[in-house]
Protein backbone atom coordinates (compact mmCIF):
# COMPACT_ATOMS: atom_id res chain seq x y z
CA UNK A 1 0.00 0.00 0.00
CA UNK A 2 1.30 3.46 -0.91
CA UNK A 3 0.31 6.74 0.68
CA UNK A 4 1.09 10.12 -0.77
CA UNK A 5 0.63 11.88 2.54
CA UNK A 6 2.04 9.41 5.09
CA UNK A 7 0.42 7.18 7.70
CA UNK A 8 -2.06 7.93 10.43
CA UNK A 9 -0.56 10.03 13.17
CA UNK A 10 -1.10 8.18 16.43
CA UNK A 11 -4.15 6.05 17.20
CA UNK A 12 -6.72 8.85 17.48
CA UNK A 13 -8.79 10.19 14.65
CA UNK A 14 -11.66 9.60 12.26
CA UNK A 15 -11.13 8.12 8.79
CA UNK A 16 -13.61 8.82 6.00
CA UNK A 17 -13.47 7.24 2.56
CA UNK A 18 -14.38 9.42 -0.44
CA UNK A 19 -14.85 8.47 -4.10
CA UNK A 20 -16.56 11.51 -5.62
CA UNK A 21 -20.10 10.14 -5.28
CA UNK A 22 -22.96 11.91 -3.53
CA UNK A 23 -22.94 9.20 -0.88
CA UNK A 24 -19.29 9.83 -0.07
CA UNK A 25 -19.89 13.59 0.14
CA UNK A 26 -22.57 12.96 2.74
CA UNK A 27 -20.21 10.67 4.64
CA UNK A 28 -17.52 13.35 4.43
CA UNK A 29 -19.72 16.09 5.92
CA UNK A 30 -21.07 13.75 8.59
CA UNK A 31 -17.49 12.78 9.51
CA UNK A 32 -16.38 16.42 9.59
CA UNK A 33 -19.18 17.30 12.01
CA UNK A 34 -18.25 14.30 14.15
CA UNK A 35 -14.56 15.27 14.15
CA UNK A 36 -15.45 18.83 15.13
CA UNK A 37 -17.64 17.52 17.96
CA UNK A 38 -14.88 15.21 19.22
CA UNK A 39 -12.06 17.70 18.58
CA UNK A 40 -10.10 15.01 16.76
CA UNK A 41 -8.29 14.87 13.39
CA UNK A 42 -10.11 13.80 10.24
CA UNK A 43 -8.25 11.62 7.74
CA UNK A 44 -9.83 11.98 4.29
CA UNK A 45 -8.88 8.97 2.16
CA UNK A 46 -9.37 8.04 -1.46
CA UNK A 47 -7.96 4.96 -3.15
CA UNK A 48 -7.44 3.85 -6.71
CA UNK A 49 -6.37 0.76 -8.59
CA UNK A 50 -4.64 0.47 -11.96
CA UNK A 51 -6.87 -1.43 -14.41
CA UNK A 52 -5.84 -5.05 -14.93
CA UNK A 53 -5.29 -4.59 -18.65
CA UNK A 54 -2.81 -1.78 -17.93
CA UNK A 55 -1.05 -3.47 -15.03
CA UNK A 56 -0.44 -6.58 -17.13
CA UNK A 57 0.66 -4.71 -20.24
CA UNK A 58 4.08 -5.41 -21.66
CA UNK A 59 4.47 -1.72 -22.34
CA UNK A 60 5.85 -0.27 -19.09
CA UNK A 61 5.61 3.24 -20.44
CA UNK A 62 1.89 2.86 -21.06
CA UNK A 63 1.35 1.45 -17.58
CA UNK A 64 3.14 4.41 -16.00
CA UNK A 65 1.07 6.87 -18.00
CA UNK A 66 -2.17 5.11 -17.10
CA UNK A 67 -1.23 5.12 -13.41
CA UNK A 68 -0.46 8.84 -13.53
CA UNK A 69 -3.81 9.65 -15.15
CA UNK A 70 -5.79 7.69 -12.58
CA UNK A 71 -3.73 9.12 -9.71
CA UNK A 72 -4.47 12.64 -10.95
CA UNK A 73 -8.18 11.75 -10.99
CA UNK A 74 -7.95 10.53 -7.42
CA UNK A 75 -6.20 13.73 -6.35
CA UNK A 76 -8.93 15.77 -8.03
CA UNK A 77 -11.60 13.86 -6.08
CA UNK A 78 -9.66 14.47 -2.89
CA UNK A 79 -9.18 18.19 -3.58
CA UNK A 80 -12.90 18.68 -4.17
CA UNK A 81 -13.65 16.85 -0.95
CA UNK A 82 -11.30 19.11 1.00
CA UNK A 83 -13.00 22.20 -0.43
CA UNK A 84 -16.37 20.89 0.77
CA UNK A 85 -15.26 20.76 4.43
CA UNK A 86 -12.97 23.81 4.46
CA UNK A 87 -15.31 25.67 6.82
CA UNK A 88 -15.03 23.19 9.69
CA UNK A 89 -12.73 23.89 12.61
CA UNK A 90 -10.84 20.60 12.39
CA UNK A 91 -7.44 19.23 11.47
CA UNK A 92 -7.77 17.55 8.06
CA UNK A 93 -5.20 15.00 6.90
CA UNK A 94 -5.71 13.99 3.24
CA UNK A 95 -4.24 10.86 1.69
CA UNK A 96 -4.28 9.02 -1.64
CA UNK A 97 -3.78 5.27 -1.56
CA UNK A 98 -3.26 2.62 -4.20
CA UNK A 99 -5.10 -0.63 -3.68
CA UNK A 100 -8.54 -2.04 -3.12
CA UNK A 101 -10.66 0.47 -1.20
CA UNK A 102 -12.00 -2.07 1.29
CA UNK A 103 -8.52 -3.42 2.02
CA UNK A 104 -7.10 0.09 2.44
CA UNK A 105 -9.81 1.15 4.88
CA UNK A 106 -9.70 -2.11 6.81
CA UNK A 107 -5.99 -1.63 7.43
CA UNK A 108 -6.52 1.95 8.55
CA UNK A 109 -9.27 0.79 10.94
CA UNK A 110 -6.57 -0.81 13.10
CA UNK A 111 -5.40 2.67 14.11
CA UNK A 112 -8.54 4.80 13.79
CA UNK A 113 -11.18 5.61 16.41
CA UNK A 114 -13.99 5.62 13.84
CA UNK A 115 -14.41 4.77 10.15
CA UNK A 116 -17.04 6.58 8.06
CA UNK A 117 -18.24 5.61 4.58
CA UNK A 118 -21.16 6.24 2.30
CA UNK A 119 -23.58 3.53 1.31
CA UNK A 120 -23.78 2.16 -2.24
CA UNK A 121 -21.47 4.79 -3.72
CA UNK A 122 -20.63 4.97 -7.41
CA UNK A 123 -17.21 6.51 -7.85
CA UNK A 124 -16.18 8.67 -10.77
CA UNK A 125 -13.01 6.68 -11.48
CA UNK A 126 -11.95 3.06 -11.87
CA UNK A 127 -12.28 0.75 -8.88
CA UNK A 128 -14.21 3.02 -6.52
CA UNK A 129 -17.40 1.30 -5.44
CA UNK A 130 -18.16 2.37 -1.89
CA UNK A 131 -21.23 0.16 -1.95
CA UNK A 132 -19.06 -2.93 -1.64
CA UNK A 133 -16.88 -1.16 0.93
CA UNK A 134 -19.86 -0.25 3.11
CA UNK A 135 -20.81 -3.93 3.20
CA UNK A 136 -17.35 -5.29 3.99
CA UNK A 137 -16.03 -2.65 6.37
CA UNK A 138 -18.54 -2.86 9.27
CA UNK A 139 -18.19 -6.64 9.45
CA UNK A 140 -14.39 -6.68 9.59
CA UNK A 141 -13.19 -3.28 10.84
CA UNK A 142 -11.22 -3.10 14.08
CA UNK A 143 -13.05 0.05 15.23
CA UNK A 144 -16.67 1.28 14.98
CA UNK A 145 -17.89 2.08 11.47
CA UNK A 146 -20.54 4.64 10.58
CA UNK A 147 -22.40 4.14 7.30
CA UNK A 148 -24.17 7.21 5.93
CA UNK A 149 -26.86 6.45 3.29
CA UNK A 150 -28.05 8.79 0.56
CA UNK A 151 -31.34 9.38 2.40
CA UNK A 152 -29.32 11.29 5.00
CA UNK A 153 -29.08 14.20 2.52
CA UNK A 154 -32.27 15.79 3.85
CA UNK A 155 -30.75 16.25 7.29
CA UNK A 156 -27.32 17.38 6.00
CA UNK A 157 -28.18 20.26 3.64
CA UNK A 158 -24.63 21.62 3.98
CA UNK A 159 -23.38 18.67 1.92
CA UNK A 160 -25.07 20.12 -1.16
CA UNK A 161 -26.56 16.75 -2.16
CA UNK A 162 -30.12 16.56 -3.44
CA UNK A 163 -32.11 14.25 -1.11
CA UNK A 164 -34.26 11.45 -2.55
CA UNK A 165 -38.01 11.91 -2.44
CA UNK A 166 -39.37 11.42 1.06
CA UNK A 167 -35.97 11.55 2.77
CA UNK A 168 -36.04 12.59 6.45
CA UNK A 169 -35.21 16.24 7.16
CA UNK A 170 -33.69 18.09 10.10
CA UNK A 171 -37.22 18.95 11.21
CA UNK A 172 -38.52 15.36 11.17
CA UNK A 173 -35.57 13.74 12.95
CA UNK A 174 -35.86 13.28 16.71
CA UNK A 175 -32.88 14.34 18.82
CA UNK A 176 -32.06 10.90 20.16
CA UNK A 177 -29.48 8.12 19.88
CA UNK A 178 -30.89 4.59 19.74
CA UNK A 179 -29.00 1.36 20.38
CA UNK A 180 -30.41 -1.98 19.26
CA UNK A 181 -29.73 -4.72 21.80
CA UNK A 182 -30.39 -8.45 21.84
CA UNK A 183 -29.06 -9.50 25.22
CA UNK A 184 -25.70 -10.55 23.80
CA UNK A 185 -22.26 -9.39 24.92
CA UNK A 186 -21.90 -7.65 21.55
CA UNK A 187 -25.09 -5.71 22.21
CA UNK A 188 -23.84 -4.65 25.63
CA UNK A 189 -20.55 -3.45 24.13
CA UNK A 190 -22.50 -1.50 21.49
CA UNK A 191 -24.62 0.13 24.21
CA UNK A 192 -21.47 1.55 25.83
CA UNK A 193 -20.43 3.14 22.52
CA UNK A 194 -23.97 4.40 21.96
CA UNK A 195 -24.00 6.01 25.40
CA UNK A 196 -20.72 7.76 24.61
CA UNK A 197 -22.24 9.04 21.37
CA UNK A 198 -25.31 10.32 23.21
CA UNK A 199 -23.17 12.12 25.80
CA UNK A 200 -20.99 13.73 23.12
CA UNK A 201 -24.07 14.93 21.26
CA UNK A 202 -25.97 16.02 24.36
CA UNK A 203 -28.87 13.72 23.47
CA UNK A 204 -30.87 11.08 25.37
CA UNK A 205 -30.33 7.38 24.70
CA UNK A 206 -32.99 4.80 23.98
CA UNK A 207 -32.22 1.10 24.48
CA UNK A 208 -34.37 -0.76 21.97
CA UNK A 209 -35.08 -4.49 21.75
CA UNK A 210 -37.33 -5.87 19.02
CA UNK A 211 -38.78 -9.31 19.70
CA UNK A 212 -39.47 -11.28 16.50
CA UNK A 213 -42.82 -13.08 16.05
CA UNK A 214 -42.83 -16.58 17.49
CA UNK A 215 -43.66 -18.37 14.27
CA UNK A 216 -41.88 -19.65 11.20
CA UNK A 217 -38.18 -19.59 11.96
CA UNK A 218 -38.91 -19.96 15.68
CA UNK A 219 -41.05 -23.06 15.31
CA UNK A 220 -38.36 -24.98 17.17
CA UNK A 221 -39.22 -23.14 20.41
CA UNK A 222 -40.82 -25.59 22.88
CA UNK A 223 -44.58 -25.19 23.24
CA UNK A 224 -46.64 -24.14 24.98
CA UNK A 225 -44.86 -20.87 25.74
CA UNK A 226 -46.16 -18.16 28.02
CA UNK A 227 -45.47 -15.09 25.86
CA UNK A 228 -46.54 -12.71 28.59
CA UNK A 229 -44.03 -14.27 30.99
CA UNK A 230 -41.36 -14.13 28.28
CA UNK A 231 -41.99 -10.41 27.74
CA UNK A 232 -41.72 -9.76 31.45
CA UNK A 233 -38.49 -11.76 31.70
CA UNK A 234 -36.88 -9.83 28.82
CA UNK A 235 -38.18 -6.53 30.19
CA UNK A 236 -36.57 -7.32 33.54
CA UNK A 237 -33.25 -8.07 31.82
CA UNK A 238 -33.48 -4.85 29.81
CA UNK A 239 -34.14 -2.80 32.91
CA UNK A 240 -31.17 -4.44 34.61
CA UNK A 241 -29.07 -3.61 31.56
CA UNK A 242 -30.23 0.00 31.70
CA UNK A 243 -29.31 0.24 35.38
CA UNK A 244 -25.84 -1.13 34.59
CA UNK A 245 -25.36 1.33 31.73
CA UNK A 246 -26.66 4.18 33.88
CA UNK A 247 -24.01 3.37 36.49
CA UNK A 248 -21.32 4.15 33.91
CA UNK A 249 -23.16 7.20 32.53
CA UNK A 250 -25.00 8.61 35.57
CA UNK A 251 -26.02 11.90 33.99
CA UNK A 252 -27.32 10.49 30.71
CA UNK A 253 -31.12 10.35 30.22
CA UNK A 254 -32.01 6.88 28.95
CA UNK A 255 -35.12 4.82 28.36
CA UNK A 256 -35.85 1.19 27.49
CA UNK A 257 -38.30 0.01 24.85
CA UNK A 258 -39.36 -3.57 24.05
CA UNK A 259 -41.42 -3.92 20.88
CA UNK A 260 -42.87 -6.84 18.97
CA UNK A 261 -41.93 -7.30 15.35
CA UNK A 262 -39.10 -8.26 12.98
CA UNK A 263 -35.95 -6.61 14.39
CA UNK A 264 -34.54 -5.53 11.03
CA UNK A 265 -37.78 -3.85 9.93
CA UNK A 266 -38.21 -2.02 13.22
CA UNK A 267 -34.60 -0.82 13.35
CA UNK A 268 -34.67 0.30 9.71
CA UNK A 269 -37.73 2.43 10.42
CA UNK A 270 -36.04 3.95 13.47
CA UNK A 271 -33.10 5.10 11.32
CA UNK A 272 -35.48 7.49 9.59
CA UNK A 273 -36.56 9.23 12.77
CA UNK A 274 -33.52 9.43 15.09
CA UNK A 275 -30.13 11.10 14.98
CA UNK A 276 -28.11 7.87 15.07
CA UNK A 277 -28.70 4.12 15.38
CA UNK A 278 -25.96 2.00 16.97
CA UNK A 279 -25.71 -1.77 16.56
CA UNK A 280 -23.34 -4.56 17.45
CA UNK A 281 -22.12 -7.06 14.91
CA UNK A 282 -21.85 -10.85 14.99
CA UNK A 283 -24.22 -11.07 17.95
CA UNK A 284 -25.12 -14.42 19.46
CA UNK A 285 -28.64 -13.61 20.53
CA UNK A 286 -28.84 -13.52 24.31
CA UNK A 287 -32.64 -13.22 24.04
CA UNK A 288 -34.49 -16.07 22.37
CA UNK A 289 -34.52 -15.71 18.60
CA UNK A 290 -32.39 -12.57 18.40
CA UNK A 291 -29.50 -12.59 15.93
CA UNK A 292 -28.05 -9.10 15.84
CA UNK A 293 -25.26 -10.07 13.47
CA UNK A 294 -27.63 -10.84 10.59
CA UNK A 295 -29.93 -7.98 11.58
CA UNK A 296 -27.15 -5.38 11.39
CA UNK A 297 -26.37 -6.38 7.78
CA UNK A 298 -30.01 -5.99 6.76
CA UNK A 299 -30.26 -2.61 8.49
CA UNK A 300 -27.14 -1.34 6.73
CA UNK A 301 -28.56 -2.23 3.31
CA UNK A 302 -31.85 -0.40 3.88
CA UNK A 303 -31.07 2.33 6.44
CA UNK A 304 -32.70 5.74 6.08
CA UNK A 305 -30.19 7.48 8.34
CA UNK A 306 -26.69 7.04 9.82
CA UNK A 307 -25.93 3.67 11.38
CA UNK A 308 -22.88 2.92 13.53
CA UNK A 309 -21.76 -0.69 13.81
CA UNK A 310 -19.56 -1.63 16.76
CA UNK A 311 -17.25 -4.64 16.34
CA UNK A 312 -16.51 -7.25 18.97
CA UNK A 313 -14.06 -5.77 21.44
CA UNK A 314 -13.02 -6.06 25.04
CA UNK A 315 -14.24 -3.37 27.42
CA UNK A 316 -13.48 -3.53 31.15
CA UNK A 317 -16.85 -1.95 31.91
CA UNK A 318 -18.57 -5.16 30.80
CA UNK A 319 -17.15 -7.02 33.82
CA UNK A 320 -19.66 -5.64 36.33
CA UNK A 321 -22.83 -6.21 34.26
CA UNK A 322 -23.90 -9.27 36.31
CA UNK A 323 -23.96 -7.18 39.49
CA UNK A 324 -27.07 -5.35 38.29
CA UNK A 325 -29.44 -8.25 37.77
CA UNK A 326 -30.37 -10.96 35.25
CA UNK A 327 -27.97 -11.53 32.38
CA UNK A 328 -29.22 -13.74 29.53
CA UNK A 329 -26.94 -16.49 28.32
CA UNK A 330 -25.07 -15.68 25.09
Amino acid sequence: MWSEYGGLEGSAGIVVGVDGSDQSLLALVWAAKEAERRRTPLHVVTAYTVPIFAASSMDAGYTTMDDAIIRDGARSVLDKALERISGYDIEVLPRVETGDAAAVLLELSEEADLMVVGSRGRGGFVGRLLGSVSSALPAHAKCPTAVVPLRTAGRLPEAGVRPPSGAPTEQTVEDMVVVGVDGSEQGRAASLVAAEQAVNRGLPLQILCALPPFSGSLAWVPAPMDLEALHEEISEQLRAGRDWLQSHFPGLPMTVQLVDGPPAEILIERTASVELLVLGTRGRGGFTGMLMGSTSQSVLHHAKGPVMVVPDHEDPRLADRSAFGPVPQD
Side-chain angles (χ1 to χ4, degrees):
M1 190 190 303
W2 169 85
S3 172
E4 182 175 358
Y5 296 94
L8 294 185
E9 298 179 4
S11 60
I14 296 173
V15 174
V16 58
V18 297
D19 68 352
S21 65
D22 284 348
Q23 286 88 337
S24 77
L25 288 178
L26 287 169
L28 174 69
V29 171
W30 192 93
K33 292 167 71 77
E34 184 71 11
E36 192 171 55
R37 185 161 40 240
R38 296 189 186 195
R39 308 308 305 165
T40 193
L42 177 64
H43 303 264
V44 182
V45 181
T46 192
Y48 73 95
T49 55
V50 179
I52 295 175
F53 69 85
S56 61
S57 173
M58 296 297 292
D59 187 342
Y62 175 80
T63 303
T64 301
M65 180 181 66
D66 194 273
D67 179 84
I69 291 174
I70 299 175
R71 184 173 64 250
D72 288 344
R75 287 174 175 169
S76 176
V77 167
L78 193 60
D79 290 341
K80 291 178 180 178
L82 298 180
E83 290 177 8
R84 189 63 60 99
I85 59 172
S86 60
Y88 290 90
D89 183 20
I90 55 176
E91 179 184 7
V92 179
L93 302 170
R95 55 191 293 142
V96 175
E97 299 277 356
T98 55
D100 174 75
V104 166
L105 294 176
L106 282 173
E107 183 170 332
L108 294 177
S109 75
E110 296 181 4
E111 303 177 48
D113 294 327
L114 175 68
M115 307 296 293
V116 183
V117 292
S119 178
R120 294 184 292 278
R122 292 295 183 269
F125 54 97
V126 175
R128 297 307 89 237
L129 293 173
L130 279 186
S132 60
V133 173
S134 63
S135 295
L137 193 61
H140 303 288
K142 302 302 182 183
C143 68
T145 299
V147 178
V148 184
L150 186 59
R151 291 178 67 85
T152 306
R155 62 178 87 178
L156 285 176
E158 57 267 55
V161 175
R162 183 176 180 178
S165 177
T169 66
E170 292 177 291
Q171 290 71 35
T172 60
V173 173
E174 187 177 358
D175 291 333
M176 176 183 293
V177 174
V178 172
V179 58
V181 299
D182 64 351
S184 67
E185 190 79 351
Q186 290 83 359
R188 290 189 280 274
S191 70
L192 289 167
V193 174
E196 291 168 354
Q197 283 290 311
V199 169
N200 290 339
R201 295 165 181 266
L203 301 179
L205 175 69
Q206 182 178 88
I207 303 166
L208 174 64
C209 177
L211 191 63
F214 280 81
S215 61
S217 63
L218 296 181
W220 53 267
V221 175
M225 173 172 282
D226 187 338
L227 295 184
E228 184 175 343
L230 177 64
H231 270 247
E232 181 53 37
E233 178 184 346
I234 293 178
S235 295
E236 182 182 5
Q237 293 168 349
L238 287 172
R239 290 191 294 269
R242 177 202 58 200
D243 293 343
W244 162 74
L245 192 60
Q246 194 81 72
S247 72
H248 291 286
F249 298 89
L252 175 63
M254 60 179 70
T255 56
V256 172
Q257 185 177 24
L258 175 63
V259 296
D260 290 311
E265 292 183 14
I266 289 172
L267 292 170
I268 288 167
E269 284 305 310
R270 293 312 305 271
T271 64
S273 60
V274 299
E275 187 72 21
L276 177 67
L277 175 69
V278 182
L279 297 173
T281 184
R282 294 187 292 278
R284 290 295 183 270
F287 299 142
T288 302
M290 299 294 289
L291 295 170
M292 192 57 72
S294 58
T295 296
S296 60
Q297 282 296 320
S298 181
V299 172
L300 286 176
H301 285 302
H302 302 286
K304 302 174 183 180
V307 177
M308 183 177 294
V309 178
V310 180
D312 297 348
H313 67 284
E314 295 183 3
D315 191 312
R317 293 173 294 186
L318 293 170
D320 62 0
R321 168 62 183 87
S322 60
F324 287 82
V327 179
Q329 296 298 314
D330 290 352

